Amino acid sequence: MDAEKKETKEINKMSLLIMAVVVLLLVIVGAVYYIFNQKQQMEELEQAYVLDKESLEDEFNELSLQYEGYKFNIGNDSLLNLLSTEQAKVQRLQEELRTVKATNTKEIARLKKELQTLRKIMRNYVVQIDSLNRANEQLKEEKNEAVKKYKQASSTATTLKKEKEKLTERVTLASRLDATGINVTPVNGRGKKAKVIKKMEQFVVDFRIGKNITAPVGEKTIYVRIMKPDDDILLKSRADVFTFEGKEINYSMKKLVEYDGEELPVTMYWNIEEFLSPGTYRVDIFADGNLIGRKSFTLEK
């Protein structure tokens, strides 16, 4: 009887052991399946990142080829230089993209945004090229007509020359940038508007560069001169100069911006480190060798 009980206990122990082994095997199999499934999903995700990067590389390459193609179809040296500059930016970003890992989604997103900006600039160049081609065709027609008229009378040729000079002058004036909505705000150390001179620690200069589809697009250096009531210029160094109307003049501050032909908000900051007297001050804004905006403001004690 005791032997039978002992045998029954052994059988029960063996059954429990078998069940434990089975459960353990099921757990191991489940874990292996989960790991395999996760690995497969990661591989699929990485493959998607790789394809996305390859697609972006193709888009950059296509944009670079578009710039190369347009360079062969224009005879304007100034526009050709601008196209070459933008193409160099595309190629630089291509090199950055080659060194970026496909899984670096932050950098990929940044490069996609850069590509969108470059495409927008390209569209502006296309507009300029089309406009230039139409202008060239028109100029060819005008030239042929001028030759005919010149043969008829030299006075007519002189008149046409003057008309052409006026047209060139109008085009030049139309392509100039314009700064609007100029506002100068003195602020204290907490960035709040300050009304008392002794509490002013910074000038915040805000303005907008207006939309102009005839103006050259790309990088622009904006210069700002802040003139005191005694006509002296606020500046950090006498070596800070730029060329205006054939002369080297001082500037208070400058900023490099990317202009694509659309309205562009600009904000610049001047840290006040010098003595300021009450009176009327003036801000002059320059770009492309032109005075594009001016605004006076008054400081009180």
Side-chain angles (χ1 to χ4, degrees), residues 21-200:
V21 170
V22 170
V23 170
L24 181 60
L25 287 174
L26 289 173
V27 170
I28 292 172
V29 170
V32 169
Y33 174 76
Y34 176 77
I35 293 171
F36 175 78
N37 189 51
Q38 288 294 106
K39 182 179 179 182
Q40 188 175 22
Q41 289 182 7
M42 287 298 295
E43 288 176 352
E44 290 175 355
L45 188 59
E46 288 179 3
Q47 183 63 27
Y49 287 149
V50 170
L51 292 175
D52 189 35
K53 180 183 176 182
E54 290 176 351
S55 176
L56 188 57
E57 288 175 345
D58 291 340
E59 290 186 60
F60 271 113
N61 188 53
E62 179 186 352
L63 187 58
S64 180
L65 290 175
Q66 287 178 357
Y67 272 111
E68 191 67 27
Y70 279 118
K71 284 165 59 178
F72 285 108
N73 295 323
I74 61 173
N76 184 292
D77 291 339
S78 177
L79 187 54
L80 182 61
N81 290 335
L82 290 172
L83 285 174
S84 297
T85 299
E86 293 302 316
Q87 185 183 22
K89 290 182 185 178
V90 175
Q91 293 170 345
R92 173 174 57 80
L93 291 172
Q94 281 182 290
E95 289 301 320
E96 289 185 25
L97 181 59
R98 291 191 184 98
T99 61
V100 171
K101 291 184 178 180
T103 54
N104 191 341
T105 54
K106 184 177 180 180
E107 277 299 296
I108 295 295
R110 180 184 68 83
L111 290 169
K112 283 183 177 180
K113 190 173 180 181
E114 294 275 11
L115 178 63
Q116 291 174 358
T117 300
L118 291 171
R119 285 192 183 282
K120 191 173 183 180
I121 292 174
M122 164 62 86
R123 287 194 292 271
N124 279 283
Y125 279 133
V126 171
V127 171
Q128 289 189 53
I129 291 169
D130 289 342
S131 180
L132 182 64
N133 288 336
R134 288 194 297 271
N136 285 337
E137 289 300 320
Q138 184 177 353
L139 287 173
K140 287 178 182 178
E141 294 175 4
E142 291 177 358
K143 181 180 177 181
N144 292 334
E145 186 66 23
V147 170
K148 293 177 182 179
K149 291 183 178 181
Y150 179 79
K151 291 179 180 179
Q152 296 173 0
S154 59
S155 60
T156 304
T158 303
T159 301
L160 287 174
K161 182 179 179 181
K162 290 180 179 179
E163 289 178 354
K164 183 178 179 181
E165 289 174 352
K166 289 180 180 179
L167 176 63
T168 302
E169 184 178 354
R170 287 199 296 270
V171 171
T172 301
L173 290 173
S175 66
R176 288 186 179 180
L177 299 179
D178 186 31
T180 61
I182 304 170
N183 188 38
V184 182
T185 306
V187 298
N188 57 26
R190 294 178 298 172
K192 302 294 184 180
K193 185 175 181 179
K195 295 183 179 180
V196 181
I197 289 180
K198 64 181 181 180
K199 293 184 178 181
M200 297 176 184

Side-chain angles (χ1 to χ4, degrees), residues 120 177-181 207-213 258-266:
K120 191 173 183 180
L177 299 179
D178 186 31
T180 61
F207 55 93
R208 295 184 299 277
I209 298 177
K211 178 179 179 179
N212 191 337
I213 62 172
E258 187 76 28
Y259 182 68
D260 60 8
E262 298 294 329
E263 184 177 83
L264 177 68
V266 180

Side-chain angles (χ1 to χ4, degrees), residues 184-187 193-204 226-229 234 270 272 274-283 296-301:
V184 182
T185 306
V187 298
K193 185 175 181 179
K195 295 183 179 180
V196 181
I197 289 180
K198 64 181 181 180
K199 293 184 178 181
M200 297 176 184
E201 295 191 16
Q202 194 176 62
F203 288 137
V204 181
I226 305 175
M227 185 174 292
K228 298 192 291 185
L234 294 179
W270 173 263
I272 300 173
E274 53 281 296
F275 171 78
L276 297 179
S277 59
T280 300
Y281 290 69
R282 193 180 78 213
V283 168
S296 296
F297 63 100
T298 302
L299 298 185
E300 300 177 355
K301 288 185 178 180

